[in-house]
Amino acid sequence: MNLQSDSPEILSAPTCEELIKLINEGLFATEIALRYNFNNPKAIQSIQVRCSELHNNGTLDLLHLIENGSMLRLVGPDFFIAMHFFCAILPELQATPERMMACVEALVTRGGEDLAANRPYGAFLSWCQNDPNRAREVILAAHNGDELASRHVAFALEAIADIAEARKMAIIYDDTRRLAAITALGRIHDLDPAACAETLAVFGTLLAGGADDKLRASMLRATAEILTHSPVFASPDAVALVLRLVENGGDFTIHACAHMLSASRQALPPDIVTGLLKSLIHLNPANKGTVNELDMGLQSLLEHGHEAAAIAFVTELLALPDSRLELNEFDGFIRKLRDGPPESLGRVVVQWLLLGIPRLCKGLDEILQSDDMVGPPIHLSADHLDISPTTQLFLCRKAIGWFFLKPITATSILVSVLRVCDAETTKEVQALLVEYLLLNYHGVCEHLEALPSDDRAKGRVDQALEQYKIHFNAVRAIPPIKELQPSEHHRRIQQLHWSDQMRDAYNKPKNQSVLMSLVKRSVLLYGKSCRTFVKDSMTNM
């Protein structure tokens, strides 16, 4: 019996005899993986119920599929499909804790770094919850020093919500069991303020006794969970504990800081945000997992009212002389900032252009893209430009320099300055607008002419347009001078440059597309010449 079918409808659920036959022939894991190619949850559930019944009555042994390696030898999606099936029935299986823990650990190890690799742990948690005695056996084995039980005791403590036992294990042990107990304390959601405070006091005691980087990170993660679900969220003791945990943190603690920012489901107190960011400024750029977690954390800060702190942190981090990070590594943060309120983006543009740090300005140039390759307009308010006339002019020059290939973006910044600057600065900005933008990009003229009549910069922009038209008409009045015309060589270089730009504009979105990554593409080469066959009277001779 084959569980796979070429028809859209799945075959009926196999009988018990057929399932036993597949087990005996060593084909069960493979066939179950194939079964999930069909969209029929009811049939799958029927198979799961029969499998758990056959296992529990002793007819077959599903754990043997893992122990003999038949499931672990599956490759690619087949393994994760079979693992998903197994995890669905695992909580209902009868087995000793030793066998179940060994099988769960084997599945997780086989899953590697895949995001679904930890799914068996959730199934093991449910298995312990279905029978609290199982959890107690695991806890007892951990107390007796069993290594396998020590690695799984966090799930057992969480299953029966034994917060007192978890505190006890965190205090009396200094090995894997302590870390597991601390993890369990973070997952046991006890809404009693006194109980939460007592758990945080345990962490304070462990910290005072000397805590290495891994222990600090573990306590920080648990504290983050407790603060998220408990009424002691902003208590002075909780804030003080977090600030002590992040002091002089190593790589594990720094990663936990990033996780705390990203996992926050409500606004963190400003003091905690400041402490976390102070520690994160020392992150190792080579730890890409931490960088990705930090990116999500920065997005969370933008969502929860800590915009100024997030922007100041990114500015300081990328301004470090020895920093190897680039702005595009925080693409989620930048995308949220770019697509958010214009007021926020305008403040960042002014701040970073005035700082003039190449890494920041280059990053701005990369994120300010538009479909027409001229850059999006940036609106700077009077508050953004509440700076000296000299600084306003400096800002205009920086905008032209960094956004020269995005003329509308550069133009919009100059127009924003024209709305608020004094008469003397106006002349300088108008000269920049004409000399660098209007004379090089005809589209800038059209953009400026489209300004509404009630725009505060309309009169000053019209003066710049008049200067441009006078200059343009004077240039057109000069007859063609052959010696000033670009050579054929230079024309060819320009054509090649334009061709490269168009190719990059086409390939960049395609390379970033999730859908295109799933499509197999082929390039057909035809050469420069072709051959045509013409049938005439000579063909048959």
Side-chain angles (χ1 to χ4, degrees):
M1 193 276 308
N2 191 332
L3 299 181
Q4 189 178 13
S5 172
D6 293 331
S7 64
E9 296 295 330
I10 192 169
L11 295 175
S12 59
T15 64
C16 295
E17 292 75 14
E18 290 171 330
L19 288 172
I20 295 171
K21 181 180 179 183
L22 289 172
I23 289 283
N24 293 333
E25 294 177 354
L27 300 175
F28 180 82
T30 303
E31 291 298 328
I32 289 302
L34 294 174
R35 164 73 70 160
Y36 270 82
N37 286 332
F38 299 91
N39 186 18
N40 195 328
K42 290 184 178 179
I44 298 302
Q45 186 176 10
S46 174
I47 299 173
Q48 292 170 349
V49 171
R50 289 187 182 181
C51 287
S52 60
E53 290 176 349
L54 290 172
H55 176 90
N56 292 336
N57 64 27
T59 304
L60 54 82
D61 187 351
L62 290 178
L63 296 184
H64 190 60
L65 295 172
I66 301 171
E67 293 168 340
N68 67 10
S70 61
M71 184 178 294
L72 305 180
R73 285 192 292 270
L74 295 175
V75 296
D78 288 349
F79 166 74
F80 290 99
I81 291 171
M83 183 184 76
H84 176 83
F85 177 89
F86 182 80
C87 289
I89 62 176
L90 186 149
E92 308 302 326
L93 301 182
Q94 298 293 335
T96 64
E98 293 78 12
R99 287 193 72 198
M100 188 60 72
M101 288 187 291
C103 289
V104 165
E105 189 167 74
L107 288 175
V108 172
T109 302
R110 170 63 180 82
E113 297 182 358
D114 192 278
L115 294 177
N118 289 332
R119 181 175 171 80
Y121 285 143
F124 179 73
L125 174 63
S126 299
W127 184 80
C128 290
Q129 289 172 334
N130 286 346
D131 185 353
N133 288 327
R134 297 167 178 170
R136 295 186 182 95
E137 288 186 46
V138 174
I139 294 172
L140 179 59
H143 276 301
N144 293 331
D146 184 84
E147 287 295 328
L148 186 60
S150 297
R151 294 194 292 271
H152 292 77
V153 72
F155 305 104
L157 291 168
E158 181 184 0
I160 58 176
D162 194 339
I163 194 168
E165 182 66 26
R167 292 195 196 109
K168 175 183 175 183
M169 294 184 75
I171 292 293
I172 65 177
Y173 297 118
D174 60 355
D175 51 20
T176 305
R177 290 168 290 187
R178 169 176 285 177
L179 297 178
I182 290 172
T183 300
L185 287 171
R187 293 174 179 171
I188 299 173
H189 299 157
D190 192 329
L191 298 181
D192 179 6
C196 294
E198 187 175 348
T199 299
L200 295 180
V202 170
F203 293 167
T205 301
L206 294 176
L207 185 60
D212 61 13
D213 191 33
K214 284 188 177 182
L215 182 57
R216 282 174 177 263
S218 182
M219 290 191 290
L220 185 59
R221 282 177 175 271
T223 303
E225 289 289 335
I226 293 171
L227 295 184
T228 301
H229 297 95
S230 75
V232 297
F233 181 72
S235 70
D237 291 341
V239 174
L241 175 63
V242 172
L243 297 182
R244 290 172 59 199
L245 286 171
V246 301
E247 285 181 357
N248 304 316
D251 287 346
F252 290 104
T253 301
I254 290 174
H255 185 84
C257 290
H259 176 77
M260 189 171 186
L261 289 178
S262 65
S264 173
R265 289 178 283 277
Q266 54 184 311
L268 292 169
D271 289 344
I272 288 183
V273 171
T274 301
L276 295 175
L277 293 178
K278 184 178 179 181
S279 180
L280 283 164
I281 203 70
H282 303 292
L283 76 88
N284 183 356
N287 297 333
K288 296 304 179 184
T290 304
V291 174
N292 293 335
E293 197 83 42
L294 174 58
D295 182 31
M296 292 186 287
L298 292 171
Q299 295 177 63
S300 179
L301 291 181
L302 293 179
E303 293 172 355
H304 293 127
H306 295 291
E307 175 188 299
I311 294 172
F313 170 79
V314 173
T315 304
E316 181 182 1
L317 181 64
L318 297 183
L320 294 174
D322 57 346
S323 176
R324 301 193 303 275
L325 289 168
E326 297 293 340
L327 188 60
N328 58 15
E329 296 188 66
F330 303 110
D331 57 332
F333 164 75
I334 289 300
R335 186 167 55 250
K336 196 167 195 65
L337 187 64
R338 182 191 62 195
D339 299 336
E343 180 78 11
S344 302
L345 180 60
R347 185 181 299 108
V348 171
V349 168
V350 171
Q351 180 183 353
W352 288 359
L353 286 179
L354 292 181
L355 285 175
I357 298 172
R359 190 177 288 109
L360 294 173
C361 295
K362 180 183 176 183
L364 275 178
D365 180 54
E366 291 175 349
I367 66 173
L368 293 176
Q369 302 290 346
S370 63
D371 295 336
D372 50 10
M373 299 181 65
V374 296
I378 303 287
H379 178 77
L380 305 182
S381 67
D383 291 338
H384 297 149
L385 298 171
D386 187 16
I387 49 183
S388 68
T390 302
T391 308
Q392 290 174 346
L393 187 59
F394 178 77
L395 175 67
C396 292
R397 293 183 179 277
K398 282 289 185 180
I400 292 173
W402 281 106
F403 304 140
F404 187 72
L405 296 180
K406 294 178 175 60
I408 299 303
T409 300
T411 299
S412 65
I413 294 175
L414 268 63
V415 171
S416 295
V417 173
L418 287 174
R419 294 188 181 105
V420 299
C421 65
D422 57 29
E424 189 65 29
T425 307
T426 297
K427 296 179 182 178
E428 297 280 358
V429 177
Q430 287 173 333
L432 293 174
L433 188 59
V434 173
E435 182 176 353
Y436 292 103
L437 297 173
L438 283 168
L439 291 181
N440 287 286
Y441 298 100
H442 181 69
V444 171
C445 180
E446 298 175 352
H447 175 76
L448 294 176
E449 288 175 343
L451 285 178
S453 57
D454 59 348
D455 193 299
R456 295 176 59 186
K458 181 64 175 175
R460 294 174 172 181
V461 167
D462 287 344
Q463 292 175 0
L465 287 172
E466 188 62 29
Q467 296 175 26
Y468 161 69
K469 291 176 181 178
I470 292 173
H471 178 89
F472 185 70
N473 292 332
V475 170
R476 293 186 64 180
I478 301 175
I481 300 175
K482 185 177 181 180
E483 289 76 10
L484 296 181
Q485 298 298 315
S487 65
E488 187 65 28
H489 175 66
H490 288 158
R491 291 177 185 271
R492 178 60 178 164
I493 292 175
Q494 173 59 23
Q495 291 175 353
L496 292 173
H497 177 65
W498 180 252
S499 176
D500 290 342
Q501 283 186 317
M502 292 298 101
R503 184 178 63 251
D504 292 342
Y506 172 76
N507 287 331
K508 187 174 181 180
K510 184 172 66 175
N511 293 336
Q512 295 176 347
S513 171
V514 176
L515 295 178
M516 289 301 295
S517 65
L518 304 176
V519 178
K520 184 177 181 180
R521 290 167 287 170
S522 300
V523 178
L524 303 180
L525 302 178
Y526 291 99
K528 295 183 178 180
S529 60
C530 63
R531 177 176 296 177
T532 303
F533 294 91
V534 179
K535 186 175 182 180
D536 56 16
S537 58
M538 300 294 292
T539 302
N540 297 325
M541 294 180 61

